[in-house]
Amino acid sequence: MGAMKKTFAVIGEDARQQAAAMYLRGRGYPVAAADEVYRADFILLPMPLDAGKAGLARLLRAAKPGALALGGMVSPEAQAAAEAAGVVLLDYFAREELALRNAIPTAEGCIGLLMQHRRRTLWGSGLLVLGYGRIGRALAVRLTALGAHVTVAARSAAQRAAAETEGAAAISMEKLPAAAPNFDALVNTIPAPVVTAGVLRSLGKNLGGGPPLVIDLASRPGGTDFEAAKALGIPALHALSLPARCAPVTAGAFVGQTVLDILHERGELYDDE
């Protein structure tokens, strides 16, 4: 008979945390609530994690010796609280596999926003995607599959080549102002000020059918001049945390999967677990 599996305490009531707990249970791990953290081998904390979230300091002080905590987007204050409690705290959001997985619901959520806020089909539309990292790539590939004519603007020649091999057109960032009049929808994934007032003023000028649409997926403060967009009457959405908003069950399963990857790599769990 195999050894008893180690116990997780999953902290947080939002849909993503509950889905992570469901994923861990499905893998056969006992899952405890916050008031049973004292018996958990691993403590799965929410994202983003700051020192005040879920009474973090108090909760970690209740952990049993040797317990390991895992949170997402861990703030320095949260890390300090863990150190004061003598608990090792790891950041699962820093993992590449989670970023790659999260690009999928981010792309799907963005496609939903494009369909909701435009009056044209994606099929046959010219769409401009800035950046070809994890999210830009996931989005451009899916838009192309839906029949959109996607143009990727990226600084890296290698990224532009990758976009072209996967069915999109590609331009350098220097050509963005000249290209903007030919597009009535722009999605930015670059966390730098690239969607300037000049780009916004020219966006969609060669097309009719109402104001253009900007969706910014980059982390705060984004890459769009939102004040200029407002002054120009251009809808500009800063669409953050789309995995949790649009697909919390999938996003929670991704967290659970990533946490198990981390623990196996650290030797805290073994392949037969």
Side-chain angles (χ1 to χ4, degrees), residues 169-189:
I171 60 173
S172 66
M173 292 299 296
E174 289 75 18
K175 294 182 179 179
L176 176 58
N182 300 314
F183 297 90
D184 68 351
L186 179 155
V187 179
N188 177 57
T189 69

Side-chain angles (χ1 to χ4, degrees), residues 7-11 37 40-45 59-60 63-64 67-71 87 89:
T7 298
F8 287 81
V10 177
I11 313 303
V37 70
D41 301 288
F42 310 116
I43 305 167
L44 180 55
L45 297 160
L59 185 142
L60 292 177
K64 72 179 185 181
L68 179 67
L70 303 102
V87 175
L89 173 58

Side-chain angles (χ1 to χ4, degrees), residues 16 47-48 73 93 102 105-106 109-110 113 135 216-220 238-248 251:
R16 182 166 48 185
M47 172 173 62
M73 301 174 70
F93 188 72
N102 273 339
T106 300
C110 181
L113 291 173
I135 293 172
D216 199 317
L217 303 178
S219 56
R220 288 188 178 91
H238 199 184
L240 299 174
S241 303
L242 286 180
R245 287 167 49 192
C246 300

Side-chain angles (χ1 to χ4, degrees), residues 1-191:
M1 187 170 66
M4 181 178 293
K5 288 197 171 184
K6 293 182 178 180
T7 298
F8 287 81
V10 177
I11 313 303
E13 298 298 324
D14 63 56
R16 182 166 48 185
Q17 287 298 98
Q18 294 309 300
M22 181 172 65
Y23 177 86
L24 293 169
R25 288 192 189 98
R27 295 291 300 271
Y29 293 97
V31 175
D35 59 358
E36 298 178 300
V37 70
Y38 61 88
R39 68 182 185 87
D41 301 288
F42 310 116
I43 305 167
L44 180 55
L45 297 160
M47 172 173 62
L49 184 64
D50 56 55
K53 181 92 64 170
L56 182 63
R58 173 186 53 78
L59 185 142
L60 292 177
R61 286 196 297 270
K64 72 179 185 181
L68 179 67
L70 303 102
M73 301 174 70
V74 176
S75 71
E77 294 78 12
Q79 193 64 251
E83 290 175 8
V87 175
V88 174
L89 173 58
L90 305 178
D91 192 338
Y92 53 74
F93 188 72
R95 297 282 294 199
E96 178 68 10
E97 70 266 38
L98 182 58
L100 288 167
R101 290 164 181 153
N102 273 339
I104 299 168
T106 300
E108 290 189 7
C110 181
I111 289 170
L113 291 173
L114 286 166
M115 295 175 69
Q116 178 183 351
H117 292 280
R118 297 177 74 247
R119 298 192 294 176
R120 293 187 171 98
T121 60
L122 296 175
W123 175 87
S125 290
L127 302 174
L128 188 55
V129 175
L130 308 191
Y132 208 66
R134 294 177 293 254
I135 293 172
R137 186 172 192 167
L139 176 62
V141 166
R142 284 159 176 78
L143 289 171
T144 300
L146 290 170
H149 303 304
V150 178
T151 296
V152 171
R155 291 191 175 92
S156 163
Q159 288 182 330
R160 296 195 296 272
E164 289 170 345
T165 64
E166 293 176 335
I171 60 173
S172 66
M173 292 299 296
E174 289 75 18
K175 294 182 179 179
L176 176 58
N182 300 314
F183 297 90
D184 68 351
L186 179 155
V187 179
N188 177 57
T189 69
I190 301 172

